[in-house]
Amino acid sequence: MNLQRRISGVLMPLSSLFGSPLCGDLGKSAYRFADFLQRSGQQFWQMLPVNPIDDCFSPYASISTFAADPLYISLDALFDEGLLEKADLESIPLGPISRTAYNAAREIRTSRLRKAVKKFRETSGTKYHNASETFLKENTWVEQHAVFCSLVDFFGTPDWTKWTDTALRNADESALREFSAAHQEEIDFHTVLQLFFEVQWKELQQYCRDKGIMFIGDVPIYVSHNSVDTWRHRHLFQLDETGKMRRVAGVPGDSFNPDGQRWDAPLYDWEVHRESGYSWWLERIGKALQRFDAVRLDHFIGFYNYFSMPPERAEDDKGYWVPGPADEFFDTVLKTFPDAQLIAEDLGVMNTGVHQLRDKYNFPGINVFQFYFDFRRDTDATAEWKENSLVCTGTHDTDTLSAWFDEVLADRKKAEPFWNFEYLFGMIKEYVPEDAPLNRQTILWGIIRKVMSSPGNIAVFPMQDLLGLPTEARMNFPGHASGNWLWRLDESLLTPELEQRLKSWTAEFGRNTYNNTSGG
């Protein structure tokens, strides 16, 4: 796989897939979406992290940086291996068409997964049995994850600082052995769930590779405080002797979010990481590179310098910047993974040092049309984008392109004397067919084609933008704790007309070079 050639793809979260009850998963709908991508001439499927989601449904605040969420396990695939009965599938409601019902999915699917794991223990010869030994050997993290999940169930909270048993809270080995002996069945349950996901994921990945479709994944820079990572590796984080956070991660205000953001995630003790040769990070990135063909490094700026905030809001301490591991970190990563395809999410408060770090390792940066568009100028911002970059209309953190355009129209009414609104039409005029009326739909298509035409080698479009969906389809609103990560695709919108349109645009702008990378 080569990120230095003109290619295009679609951003489509696994949870947003259609067809499966209540929540997208690795079942038949994932394969149908891969078929859609191939018929549309796309070569990249970008996803959000597949780690376990938190109570707000965010995959960026997970209880584990290594594990996957069992929600994504296909029950149909378990039925095909004889681990579930037909009745187990027929009694599940489909749920709303355009919304993911996480809580209902968790409750209903967990009961089926328990049946499947019980059947797995009682039988042999399935593809999951055949993969078990290799899986356990290659994923040593899974034991700690399974024990942590069992402890969360036992104590009723993932906040390990509130566990009432001091020895278990402090991960005392003797206490853990005693707990594990008494709860082995539950620990095995969580272990087998990760096995189920791993086998199903690899099958989908190979199916996509055979069709010339690669996966772009995501490594969130920070981890949740309520995680197995902080519980078992607290020395790697800025925590006090009780496990509470000394400082937390966040960002100061910028044009995207004037009030800034507090992520309430623990900061790393980078000196300890350095002394260990960044071993935890190497394991983490290694796992991501197994799952994905290219990896987006979330909040890339944090590797150059990170914003340190007090655990509680304080008028006399708004936070400050601290140098990150920078060159030494990436020298170590690329020495271990010389062929790693890494993308720098270089958005936010940038400075020269961040760009120099990105360019030193030839990482593609990211250019977002919504961020670059500026009515106060009359030159084409997209023409300034570098070839070595990922270009897009928006991200999972922006509003949909259609909703952004609504805001543009509103701004025009408010500030017409000051803003050059004709700039937009001048930019996209040649990308709207001559015989097409200049209306909302053709303008949105023109913007997409404009981004397609730009110099950036990798063009990725949120599925919502390709469909022209309104703000109700927005995936995430940063800084808002509720109402996020819920959008789900209505499969009826994947029409032959959309396929042909996307395929035509991809070919028109030289992004349709097929490269079958099956097997590697």
Side-chain angles (χ1 to χ4, degrees), residues 296-311:
R296 170 187 175 273
L297 297 173
D298 173 59
H299 194 60
F300 180 77
I301 187 175
F303 295 104
Y304 178 77
N305 58 358
Y306 59 90
F307 200 65
S308 173
M309 308 176 79

Side-chain angles (χ1 to χ4, degrees), residues 55 148-160 162-164:
D55 291 341
F148 182 79
C149 290
S150 300
L151 286 163
V152 169
D153 295 339
F154 183 77
F155 288 108
T157 176
D159 185 350
W160 49 272
K162 294 181 179 179
W163 293 351
T164 54

Side-chain angles (χ1 to χ4, degrees), residues 145-389:
H145 168 75
V147 171
F148 182 79
C149 290
S150 300
L151 286 163
V152 169
D153 295 339
F154 183 77
F155 288 108
T157 176
D159 185 350
W160 49 272
T161 65
K162 294 181 179 179
W163 293 351
T164 54
D165 187 303
T166 303
L168 291 174
R169 186 171 65 243
N170 293 328
D172 177 79
E173 293 298 337
S174 177
L176 287 175
R177 284 194 296 271
E178 184 177 342
F179 177 86
S180 298
H183 299 83
Q184 195 58 55
E185 183 174 334
E186 188 69 8
I187 292 170
D188 286 345
F189 169 69
H190 291 290
T191 300
V192 175
L193 292 186
Q194 295 303 310
L195 169 66
F196 286 169
F197 175 90
E198 186 87 358
V199 171
Q200 293 184 11
W201 177 271
K202 286 185 175 180
E203 288 182 345
L204 175 63
Q205 184 179 45
Q206 190 58 53
Y207 182 85
C208 288
R209 285 179 172 177
D210 289 343
K211 291 179 173 293
I213 299 166
M214 301 292 106
F215 289 165
I216 297 180
D218 204 326
V219 172
I221 187 170
Y222 294 117
V223 305
S224 171
H225 178 254
N226 300 336
S227 68
V228 60
D229 304 283
T230 57
W231 172 59
R232 290 307 303 265
H233 307 285
R234 66 187 71 181
H235 63 292
L236 298 177
F237 302 89
Q238 295 185 30
L239 306 177
D240 66 18
E241 61 277 1
T242 68
K244 294 181 180 179
M245 296 181 284
R246 296 182 186 274
R247 306 287 293 183
V248 300
V251 288
D254 58 20
S255 58
F256 185 52
N257 197 319
D259 296 328
Q261 300 176 50
R262 288 178 63 88
W263 295 330
D264 291 327
L267 292 168
Y268 298 109
D269 187 331
W270 281 115
E271 180 60 25
V272 175
H273 282 274
R274 185 190 67 78
E275 292 172 354
S276 71
Y278 303 102
S279 58
W280 179 85
W281 267 101
L282 293 177
E283 185 179 2
R284 186 184 185 195
I285 290 178
K287 185 60 185 176
L289 292 172
Q290 288 177 5
R291 285 188 177 144
F292 301 102
D293 302 286
V295 171
R296 170 187 175 273
L297 297 173
D298 173 59
H299 194 60
F300 180 77
I301 187 175
F303 295 104
Y304 178 77
N305 58 358
Y306 59 90
F307 200 65
S308 173
M309 308 176 79
E312 304 293 337
R313 296 182 184 275
E315 286 300 318
D316 60 345
D317 185 357
K318 300 291 187 180
Y320 48 82
W321 291 102
V322 183
D327 305 62
E328 183 184 59
F329 175 78
F330 288 111
D331 286 343
T332 304
V333 169
L334 294 175
K335 182 178 180 180
T336 307
F337 306 108
D339 298 323
Q341 301 292 319
L342 303 177
I343 299 169
E345 191 263 315
D346 54 346
L347 306 175
V349 183
M350 292 296 106
N351 57 49
T352 301
V354 178
H355 292 153
Q356 289 176 341
L357 182 66
R358 176 199 66 195
D359 294 342
K360 175 180 177 178
Y361 299 98
N362 205 33
F363 295 152
I366 297 179
N367 295 305
V368 184
F369 181 83
Q370 292 186 35
F371 295 168
Y372 272 82
F373 191 80
D374 188 343
F375 288 109
R376 292 163 296 185
R377 60 185 294 170
D378 55 9
T379 57
D380 181 0
T382 67
E384 302 168 8
W385 293 349
K386 293 183 177 181
E387 288 186 11
N388 188 32
S389 68

